[in-house]
Structure formats: C-alpha cells, structure tokens
Amino acid sequence: MPIDATQPYDDANIFARILRGELPSKTVHEDEHTLAFNDINPLAPTHILVIPKGRYVSWDDFSAKASDEEIASLVRAVGKIAREGGLVQSGYRILANSGLNSGQEVPHLHVHIFAGRPLGPMLAK
Ligand code: DGP
C-alpha cells in the first residue's frame, strides 16, 4: 500500500525498527547520520538502501527539515558506497520513491542503489 508523503512519522515503521536494532539487516555503511543496508528483496545483483537516522517520512520531509549535515551525510554516503563497492565504472542507478504515485511503501526516507546489470529503461511506459 503506497504511503502518503505528508503523513506524520510512524515510529513503528520497519526502518525505524532496523535503526533501533529490533530487526536484523546487513549493514553496508554507517556514520553519525546515515545507515545503509541490503534490500531484503533485491531487484538487481546490488540493491542497497541508504537511510537517514533521523525521523523523516519522505524525500519531501527530509529536504524540507533535515540539517545540511544530515543531507550531506546521506548524499556522500551514496557516493562512497558506490565507489567502495566498485560500482562507478559499470554504473549504477539511485532512486527515491516519495509518496502515493511513486509507490513508496516504507514511510521512512530511503534511497535505493541498484547496480550489477544493465538496468533497463528508467520507467515503464
Ligand atoms: P519503496 O517501495 O521505495 O518504499 O521500497 C521499500 C523497500 O524496502 C523494498 O525494496 C523492500 C525493502 N524492505 C522492506 N522491508 C524490509 C526489511 O525488513 N528489511 C530490508 N532490508 N529491506 C526491506
């Protein structure tokens, strides 16, 4: 069920539970403001989720309310993960679903990193 990007933050969401250590995940990167882990249902050979540690529902919420430090941390983490994972030469795609039409399912901002095969057209027509 897609979520509404303007809804209040729900502390029971799956990524909040991962951040609290209540659910397992395979950590790929962690710093003060950002966590990255493998997607549970990978759609490409590499499929990583990068999330802020702060309570942000969506890209809209994050871009409006996060500090410059939090935003820089997330953007730099994406680049670092790709470089350290050897993804730069072959290429990768980043994607953040935000709100109803995007199909966002988990109401905590996450940036997908896809890589490891040709990723096809950007969107289904
Ligand atoms: P989106 O549709 O953009 O909201 O993507 C949500 C992603 O979250 C989807 O690719 C599957 C992933 N996901 C859902 N539940 C879990 C979980 O418990 N652990 C991990 N690692 N990923 C999850």
Side-chain angles (χ1 to χ4, degrees):
M1 189 69 174
I3 66 106
D4 174 350
T6 65
Q7 71 186 50
Y9 189 81
D10 172 8
D11 284 298
N13 81 75
I14 286 169
F15 295 166
R17 297 188 63 198
I18 286 176
L19 283 165
R20 291 195 296 267
E22 295 168 7
L23 292 174
S25 68
K26 175 78 181 60
T27 299
V28 173
H29 168 94
E30 181 164 17
D31 62 49
E32 184 184 353
H33 296 296
T34 303
L35 180 70
F37 49 89
N38 288 324
D39 195 288
I40 203 169
N41 181 25
L43 297 175
T46 297
H47 185 172
I48 295 166
L49 301 172
V50 188
I51 69 171
K53 289 185 174 177
R55 299 165 74 255
Y56 301 104
V57 174
S58 64
W59 188 271
D60 178 66
D61 194 20
F62 186 66
S63 62
K65 298 187 190 141
S67 67
D68 290 354
E69 201 179 330
E70 290 174 298
I71 292 171
S73 168
L74 186 116
V75 173
R76 291 208 185 274
V78 170
K80 187 167 191 277
I81 291 161
R83 281 189 299 280
E84 293 183 355
L87 309 180
V88 175
Q89 180 64 38
S90 53
Y92 62 97
R93 179 173 292 161
I94 59 177
L95 180 150
N97 290 316
S98 187
L100 292 169
N101 276 349
S102 75
Q104 181 181 357
E105 289 175 335
V106 179
H108 182 116
L109 169 66
H110 44 286
V111 174
H112 297 257
I113 303 177
F114 300 106
R117 64 169 172 80
L119 294 165
M122 195 156 51
L123 284 178
K125 288 195 177 163

